Amino acid sequence: MRVAVVGGGINGVMSAWALRGRGHDVALFERGALMGATSGASSKLLHGGLRYLEQGDVRQVYEGLHERRWWMQRAPELTRRVELFLPLYSHAPHGRLALAAGLTAYDLLSGRTTLGRHRWWSRQNLPTRASELKCDGLRGAFSYWDAQMDDSALGRWAADRACDDGVVIHENTDVTHIARDGELRTTHDALRFDVIVNVAGPWARALLDASEIPSHTQLDLVRGSHLIVNRPTEAGFALNLPSDGRLVFVLPHHGRTLLGTTEVRQTLDEPIVCSVAEREYLLDAYNNFFENPIRDTDIETTFAGVRPLVDTGKSAHAQRHGETIEVEGSVVSVFGGKWTTSRLLGERVADAVGKCTRRGTSRLN
Ligand SMILES: Cc1cc2nc3c(=O)[nH]c(=O)nc-3n(C[C@H](O)[C@H](O)[C@H](O)COP(=O)(O)OP(=O)(O)OC[C@H]3O[C@@H](n4cnc5c(N)ncnc54)[C@H](O)[C@@H]3O)c2cc1C
């Protein structure tokens, strides 16, 4: 079948690659540059997501941990293990037992793909790489292992593999309209495909609306911002903020420190940039935990992306991070999905396209 994929983020690229693997002729359309939106503005972690355990989303964590391994094996030069410290203070939202249970589950779920087991460090025995933590009220810290990647480079690596296999990629090509019968219009052409896969991330619902294709799925668009601070850090930290119970990451980043992220609801009309309030929130988060404070002038740059979360009517913090796939005629739309699990998402999209010859409307979770 001739399949068009709209969107050159990681989910579009991995869908196109999986579809090509099933023998389809695949053309991908991206209105800007590949990985130019959310997929190039992530926290750059390949992970199961410790906090999803708290939400009871064990499947999401299990899949993330196993997919982490897939990326590390395929592209070792663009991925690496990172040690993360989770400090425990007397005022912390979670006690030591709860954290130990969560980390044990994280270890067990990673099974043979583990990057190293978690351990507890008492305050007296903290290693020097965690010695910058404020001592007042500090009981100790857990350490655990996850992986880091270069999201833009790794996404382009996957796109290169997909092209090698025969996917045709059109960058700087805006898709203005799609139709249930497989017609796709760009600013220059009107083309015909057997199936159109709409993987436009935060813009997936907007493309359907502009094309007058009905959808049951609402997206909750939640901006996340990061700071890059001119200061090295050897280890990573997952800071459990007592103010709102969120996790903020402090991560090594090319000899600098990457600090993020935030959760701010926004619309597609607003610019996707880090606000002054988000800068202050992240600086405060860091300075609450570390002896040597960072100032606004230490910030080298900021970047922001929008999470396309499937709206379940919950708070931004508690929304689902898994994907929903919806089929309407010859149009398969994908909502949500994580960077780490994009290969699995691509396989599920290819399954949905396989079933697409049976015309109609359906929703697959
Ligand atoms: C702040 C933040 C931190 C994150 N951190 C992590 C993390 O550490 N690890 C992890 O696993 N996940 C993380 N995520 C989640 C992950 O980054 C996203 O789920 C994923 O990148 C979404 O990819 P996507 O391809 O669906 O969307 P996008 O990357 O946004 O791609 C969609 C593409 O579609 C294009 N497009 C839109 N409309 C059209 C059109 N009409 N015509 C042509 N092209 C169009 C856009 O230009 C865009 O490039 C994070 C997300 C955010 C926001």
Side-chain angles (χ1 to χ4, degrees):
M1 285 199 287
R2 292 190 70 224
V3 183
V5 173
V6 185
I10 193 59
N11 286 329
V13 165
M14 296 310 281
S15 298
W17 195 7
L19 285 160
R20 183 67 198 132
R22 308 272 177 108
H24 302 298
D25 283 336
V26 186
L28 182 148
F29 300 88
E30 163 55 49
R31 71 172 164 209
L34 294 177
M35 308 302 135
T38 325
S39 299
S42 77
S43 300
K44 304 173 201 316
L45 284 171
L46 293 168
H47 63 163
L50 200 51
R51 75 184 168 104
Y52 307 134
L53 279 180
E54 199 185 337
Q55 297 164 1
D57 201 344
V58 176
R59 185 177 118 171
Q60 172 81 22
V61 177
Y62 177 82
E63 289 178 353
L65 290 169
H66 287 260
E67 291 303 295
R68 175 182 78 176
R69 188 64 172 174
W70 186 88
W71 289 106
M72 294 184 82
Q73 282 179 337
R74 295 304 187 290
E77 66 287 4
L78 298 171
T79 57
R80 65 176 204 110
R81 236 166 56 113
V82 63
E83 184 183 27
L84 290 147
F85 285 89
L86 219 165
L88 182 66
Y89 285 85
S90 38
H91 57 265
H94 301 294
R96 182 171 163 184
L97 263 180
L99 291 177
L103 288 163
T104 303
Y106 206 66
D107 285 345
L108 289 173
L109 286 168
S110 52
R112 293 209 329 238
T113 69
T114 182
L115 300 177
R117 302 280 173 205
H118 81 275
R119 64 168 285 188
W120 168 254
W121 306 78
S122 67
R123 177 183 155 176
Q124 292 74 23
N125 295 327
L126 270 183
T128 42
R129 55 195 183 281
S131 59
E132 284 271 320
L133 286 168
K134 280 187 179 170
C135 291
D136 198 17
L138 181 65
R139 293 170 57 197
F142 286 100
S143 63
Y144 70 101
W145 294 87
D146 247 321
Q148 278 186 293
M149 50 141 172
D150 179 334
D151 51 12
S152 297
L154 191 56
R156 284 206 161 261
W157 170 89
D160 288 346
R161 302 286 87 69
C163 285
D164 291 346
D165 286 353
V167 172
V168 179
I169 295 185
H170 305 272
E171 288 183 87
N172 302 309
T173 307
D174 194 4
V175 173
T176 52
H177 190 272
I178 53 177
R180 294 175 86 254
D181 64 359
E183 192 200 20
L184 177 147
R185 277 185 247 144
T186 70
T187 30
H188 301 298
D189 289 311
L191 305 162
R192 171 88 43 197
F193 292 89
D194 297 308
V195 178
I196 298 171
V197 182
N198 165 23
V199 209
W203 298 272
R205 179 63 205 252
L207 180 60
L208 292 180
D209 292 346
S211 306
E212 295 179 359
I213 296 176
S215 168
H216 307 290
T217 307
Q218 289 295 340
L219 281 180
D220 188 8
L221 302 177
V222 180
R223 183 173 72 239
S225 293
H226 291 89
L227 313 179
I228 294 178
V229 179
N230 186 3
R231 176 179 297 184
T233 177
E234 214 184 305
F237 296 85
L239 307 176
N240 205 184
L241 303 193
S243 52
D244 54 13
R246 295 189 58 249
L247 272 188
V248 164
F249 289 106
V250 173
L251 298 163
H253 182 75
H254 303 295
R256 308 275 194 272
T257 298
L258 178 68
L259 190 56
T261 174
T262 54
E263 282 176 344
V264 180
R265 285 203 158 99
Q266 77 159 78
T267 64
L268 290 176
D269 307 332
E270 294 171 82
I272 304 172
V273 290
C274 176
S275 68
V276 174
E278 287 171 281
R279 277 172 90 107
E280 282 171 6
Y281 173 89
L282 291 171
L283 284 183
D284 279 356
Y286 183 95
N287 293 340
N288 269 328
F289 283 84
F290 291 93
E291 291 291 355
N292 188 4
I294 46 175
R295 289 173 299 274
D296 204 56
T297 47
D298 295 321
I299 300 172
E300 272 190 0
T301 184
T302 67
F303 63 87
V306 175
R307 300 176 185 87
L309 303 180
V310 175
D311 196 352
T312 52
K314 295 186 180 161
S315 68
H317 186 43
Q319 294 285 30
R320 271 186 64 225
H321 286 249
E323 77 276 359
T324 290
I325 298 176
E326 222 176 64
V327 183
E328 178 73 29
S330 301
V331 175
V332 175
S333 292
V334 183
F335 304 97
K338 293 280 297 171
W339 214 111
T340 308
T341 47
S342 55
R343 186 196 68 89
L344 268 184
L345 181 147
E347 293 298 334
R348 287 175 185 146
V349 167
D351 291 343
V353 167
K355 292 178 195 150
C356 210
T357 37
R358 281 186 264 129
R359 296 275 190 267
T361 304
S362 64
R363 184 181 156 120
L364 316 165
N365 279 323

